Amino acid sequence: MAEILQKDGTWVFDGDALRLTPGRDKNVGLLRKTLGELVVPLGALAGISFEQGKKSGRLRLRLRDGADPLLHATGGRLSEPHDPYQLTVESDRYGVAEYFVDEVRNALLLDQVPTDPVDGYLLPGPAVPLAVSAGDGTAAFDGEHIRLEWNWKTEDAKASAGARTLAVADVVAVEWQPAAGLENGHLRFTVRHAPTKAPPKYDPNAVELWGFKKDPLMALVAAAVQARLPHPARAAAVDVPTKKDLRPETPSPPVAPAEDGHDALLRRLRELGELHRTGVLTDEEFTMAKQAILKRMLHHPGG
């Protein structure tokens, strides 16, 4: 087991999963504090890195695409204090951080965890029910229905329609966008059969955000809803027409022969190269694994 304790939080790795607990330091973002402890299964990881600085360093986890509804709903737009997959490390704990990285990387290597995208969420998303008030409204979610209520700052045209209740079954997409510069942010729900190009200020299915302290908490609502929508990879597979759909009269191509041992070794060599490029394997680990595969290829009839 590996563990690192900092004012920013505590990370524990038991060989099967990482347990990320936010600290109580004033620099810890409101989203991380509200989200609470996260348990990330090893299979959801694509890599881990540690960056040293003069005064402090930073541990970073990289998750496989499609593994976490929070990352999908926020599109990588969570700023540093709110990102639960970063941990600030004080300079006197650099050695512990490096050991932590080695332990996780070794486990990824031993379990041969792939780095490719997944077609189902490996994290459950924020717990429900939850409700957040920010910007021009309040968004509440109980796991089945989204309730949007407006406040005195809401544009009259949107507020006049009253509170909105949306069934998850009618929602086809959710997006959280933080305010940036002079551009306001939003939490927007795209409803089936009701597309709109109206800006969030006038969209009755959106909460407009102005860059205040509680804005990031709307990302929790987005993630909780996203976790209950069809996974994007599966939805894409259903929506994209196949060649058979486009040209039904075209004969099916012959089935490719099964990959022989030599081709399998070549494929494994490419996979190792990708793991090394993304930082999952160290130079030494990559060299040892590559030499073992090359040796097997020399003794293979197809080599």
Side-chain angles (χ1 to χ4, degrees), residues 221-234:
V221 179
V225 173
Q226 184 66 56
R228 289 159 176 81
L229 298 180
H231 191 275
R234 295 176 183 173

Side-chain angles (χ1 to χ4, degrees), residues 32-93:
R32 284 179 60 200
K33 290 180 178 178
T34 305
L35 185 60
E37 185 176 84
L38 270 180
V39 177
V40 183
L42 184 65
L45 284 187
I48 183 172
S49 63
F50 176 57
E51 305 158 5
Q52 292 190 16
K54 291 183 178 180
K55 295 183 178 180
S56 64
R58 189 167 301 280
L59 275 170
R60 298 179 189 269
L61 294 181
R62 185 166 61 86
L63 272 63
R64 297 168 65 185
D65 288 345
D68 181 21
L70 175 62
L71 291 182
H72 183 81
T74 57
R77 293 182 289 264
L78 284 176
S79 59
E80 181 182 307
H82 303 291
D83 186 346
Y85 302 115
Q86 297 187 36
L87 182 72
T88 301
V89 179
E90 297 167 13
S91 58
D92 62 345
R93 306 299 286 173

Side-chain angles (χ1 to χ4, degrees), residues 5 54 78 96 101 154 158 206 282:
L5 289 79
K54 291 183 178 180
L78 284 176
V96 177
V101 168
T154 308
K158 183 161 74 171
T282 64

Side-chain angles (χ1 to χ4, degrees), residues 18-197:
L18 290 97
R19 191 174 298 273
L20 317 178
T21 307
R24 298 181 179 179
D25 189 69
K26 63 180 181 180
N27 294 323
V28 178
L30 184 59
L31 182 145
R32 284 179 60 200
K33 290 180 178 178
T34 305
L35 185 60
E37 185 176 84
L38 270 180
V39 177
V40 183
L42 184 65
L45 284 187
I48 183 172
S49 63
F50 176 57
E51 305 158 5
Q52 292 190 16
K54 291 183 178 180
K55 295 183 178 180
S56 64
R58 189 167 301 280
L59 275 170
R60 298 179 189 269
L61 294 181
R62 185 166 61 86
L63 272 63
R64 297 168 65 185
D65 288 345
D68 181 21
L70 175 62
L71 291 182
H72 183 81
T74 57
R77 293 182 289 264
L78 284 176
S79 59
E80 181 182 307
H82 303 291
D83 186 346
Y85 302 115
Q86 297 187 36
L87 182 72
T88 301
V89 179
E90 297 167 13
S91 58
D92 62 345
R93 306 299 286 173
Y94 282 0
V96 177
E98 290 170 347
Y99 171 76
F100 192 94
V101 168
D102 287 342
E103 287 293 293
V104 175
R105 284 181 175 171
N106 288 338
L108 288 170
L109 179 63
L110 289 173
D111 284 20
Q112 296 187 351
V113 176
T115 59
D116 55 341
V118 297
D119 61 2
Y121 293 121
L122 301 179
L123 281 84
V128 294
L130 57 86
V132 177
S133 296
D136 68 352
T138 296
F141 181 52
D142 63 5
E144 295 182 358
H145 295 89
I146 303 150
R147 176 80 172 174
L148 301 176
E149 298 181 351
W150 314 116
N151 56 39
W152 62 273
K153 295 170 284 189
T154 308
E155 180 68 25
D156 290 345
K158 183 161 74 171
S160 62
R164 301 275 290 177
T165 299
L166 307 173
V168 170
D170 294 330
V171 175
V172 295
V174 58
E175 179 189 47
W176 173 83
Q177 175 79 47
L182 299 177
E183 295 292 325
N184 291 338
H186 61 262
L187 169 67
R188 188 198 296 271
F189 301 96
T190 302
V191 179
R192 183 176 285 105
H193 307 310
T196 178
K197 294 184 179 180

Side-chain angles (χ1 to χ4, degrees), residues 268-299:
R268 182 58 181 154
L269 197 59
R270 288 193 295 269
E271 291 173 352
L272 287 171
E274 176 64 15
L275 291 174
H276 178 240
R277 186 184 68 79
T278 56
V280 175
L281 293 182
T282 64
D283 292 343
E284 182 181 359
E285 291 168 340
F286 173 64
T287 300
M288 291 177 62
K290 182 175 71 172
Q291 288 175 347
I293 289 180
L294 292 175
K295 185 176 180 181
R296 290 176 62 185
M297 290 177 71
L298 287 174
H299 290 83

